[in-house]
Structure formats: C-alpha cells, structure tokens
C-alpha cells in the first residue's frame, strides 16, 4: 500500500514539473510571436550618446612685413597745440587709407596709432614762432598691438613779420602827422620816431599765432623701420 502511494505521489510531482516547463515554453513562444521574433522596443533603443561640442575651426594667420618708407595717412583723434600740450602728452590717430603689401591689404582703414608729444613751444613776444611736434610709436589692428618706428611730425605757426611791419609803419605815420601839425618838419620827424617806437612796443607786447591741431586734422607720417604684423588668412 505504501509503495503504491509513493508511486502515485511521484507521478504527480513529475506531471506538475512537466506542466510548468511547457507553460514557460508556451509563454516564450507567445511573446516571440507577438514581437515577430524581434527585440522589444526597450531592448532596441540605442544607448544615449553624450553630445560632442563642435569646435570652431582654428583661425589661420601669416606674418607680413611692411617695408620701411611706407606712408601712413592719418586723421588725428586727439588735439595737440603749441600753447597747451606738454612733452609726453598722449596723441592718437587712425588710419584713413588701407596699407597694402603685394596687392593685399594688411592694415585696414580704421587701424589706430598712438604716440607722444615730443616738443611744444608757445609763441614768443620778441622772436620765434609757435611749434608743436609729435611722434607715433604704437599700432593697433586686428585686436593686436605692435611697436613701430615712424618719422616725427612737426608743425610751425605761420610768420607774422608783414603784420608786424605794418603795425610799426602805421605807428610811425600817425606820429609824423601829429608832429607835423604841432611843429612843422622838425615836429614831423620827431613824431615819426615816437610813433614808430610806439608801434614797435605794440608788436613786442603782442604774441604771435599759436599752432593748434584739432581732432580730424589730417597728418601723414612714414615708417622708419620695417613693421611685421599678423594677417588673417581667409
């Protein structure tokens, strides 16, 4: 009896195991049929790839040498004057015409230059005309600054000799007229001498013209040594 019971229980356990395996196999077959034998969407989704920043292409430059003697046409952006400027005062300007080398522009219009006042003398009462001098030694273009050597620029006030002679002559003539009315020829001669002296006094007491350059004044200088700059290659 006990042997029969063991046989029955063993058969039941075996049948149960077989049924579970078959069910699992059937379920797997059903899933495969539904998906057409292809991986599920979750499995087929590509793994996220981190974005790679796109780098801008590196700019290319080449060095170009501007020869000594090249003319720089400039427009002042600061004022200089014989009576107000001091030695070492800053002076600045900008290029009004592009500079080309071998047919290619290497310094565009608008490039800036800077320098200092090298001399400034106001007008004198006795002799000497007013003058102011300055020189540029720095160039800025394309975001870069270069040292350069240029010719010094000097401006001198116009002469006033003819005006001075006129003043003296008027003084002498007026003195002669007044002297003649008062004392004849002798009085006229004395009056002329006195009047001429008065005219000379007016000239000595009057200063001559000053030399002033305002922003926007055109000036021209030249390179006194070669200048090498970096030019962007398109």
């Amino acid at each position: 009896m006990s042997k029969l019971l063991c046989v029955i229980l063993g058969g039941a356990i075996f049948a149960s195991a077989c049924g579970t395996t078959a069910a699992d196999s059937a379920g797997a077959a059903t899933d495969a049929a539904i998906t057409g034998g292809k991986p599920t969407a979750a499995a087929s989704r590509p793994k996220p790839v981190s974005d790679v920043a796109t780098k801008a292409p590196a700019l290319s430059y080449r060095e170009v040498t501007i020869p000594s003697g090249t003319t720089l046409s400039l427009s002042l952006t600061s004022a200089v004057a014989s009576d107000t400027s001091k030695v070492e005062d800053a002076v600045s300007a900008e290029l009004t015409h592009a500079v080309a080398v071998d047919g290619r522009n290497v310094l565009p219009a608008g490039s800036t230059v800077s320098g200092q006042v090298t001399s400034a003398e106001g007008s004198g009462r006795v002799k000497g005309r007013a003058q102011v001098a300055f020189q540029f030694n720095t160039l800025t273009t394309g975001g870069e600054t270069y040292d350069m050597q240029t010719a010094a620029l000097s401006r001198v006030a116009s002469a006033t000799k003819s005006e001075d002679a006129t003043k003296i002559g008027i003084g002498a003539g007026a003195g002669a007229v007044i002297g003649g009315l008062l004392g004849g020829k002798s009085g006229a001669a004395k009056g002329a001498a006195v009047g001429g002296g008065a005219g000379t006094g007016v000239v000595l007491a009057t200063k001559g013209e000053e030399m002033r350059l305002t922003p926007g004044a055109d000036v021209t200088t030249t390179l006194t040594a070669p200048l090498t700059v970096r030019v962007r290659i398109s």
Side-chain angles (χ1 to χ4, degrees):
M1 183 65 180
S2 58
K3 290 182 179 181
L4 180 58
L5 182 59
C6 289
V7 172
I8 294 173
L9 289 176
I13 293 172
F14 178 79
S16 176
C18 291
T20 300
T21 303
D24 292 342
S25 299
T30 302
D31 292 339
I34 294 174
T35 59
K38 296 180 181 179
T40 61
S44 62
R45 185 180 300 117
K47 294 181 179 180
V49 179
S50 57
D51 294 334
V52 179
T54 303
K55 294 183 179 180
L59 299 178
S60 299
Y61 294 87
R62 67 186 180 97
E63 290 190 340
V64 177
T65 298
I66 305 171
S68 176
T70 298
T71 298
L72 303 179
S73 300
L74 306 167
S75 176
L76 290 179
T77 54
S78 63
V80 291
S82 58
D83 56 339
T84 59
S85 294
K86 303 291 187 296
V87 173
E88 294 189 353
D89 279 356
V91 58
S92 59
E94 64 180 15
L95 204 62
T96 56
H97 295 87
V99 174
V101 174
D102 296 332
R104 174 172 180 168
N105 290 342
V106 294
L107 294 182
S111 299
T112 59
V113 297
S114 59
Q116 296 81 34
V117 173
T118 58
S119 175
E121 296 180 9
S123 174
R125 287 188 171 86
V126 178
K127 63 179 180 178
R129 289 182 285 168
Q131 66 88 24
V132 62
F134 48 96
Q135 189 171 22
F136 297 106
N137 51 28
T138 302
L139 165 75
T140 300
T141 182
E144 297 191 33
T145 299
Y146 306 89
D147 292 331
M148 66 176 181
Q149 298 178 45
T150 64
L153 300 176
S154 180
R155 295 290 184 272
V156 181
S158 58
T160 59
K161 287 184 178 179
S162 60
E163 295 178 4
D164 294 345
T166 300
K167 291 176 183 177
I168 294 173
I170 291 175
V177 171
I178 296 174
L181 292 175
L182 297 177
K185 292 183 179 180
S186 176
K190 292 179 181 179
V194 173
T200 302
V202 170
V203 170
L204 294 179
T206 303
K207 293 180 65 176
E209 294 181 0
E210 298 293 345
M211 184 68 243
R212 300 187 180 97
L213 296 175
T214 58
D218 293 328
V219 296
T220 301
T221 188
T222 56
L223 292 177
T224 57
L227 171 63
T228 299
V229 298
R230 293 205 317 155
V231 179
R232 179 178 173 181
I233 300 175
S234 3

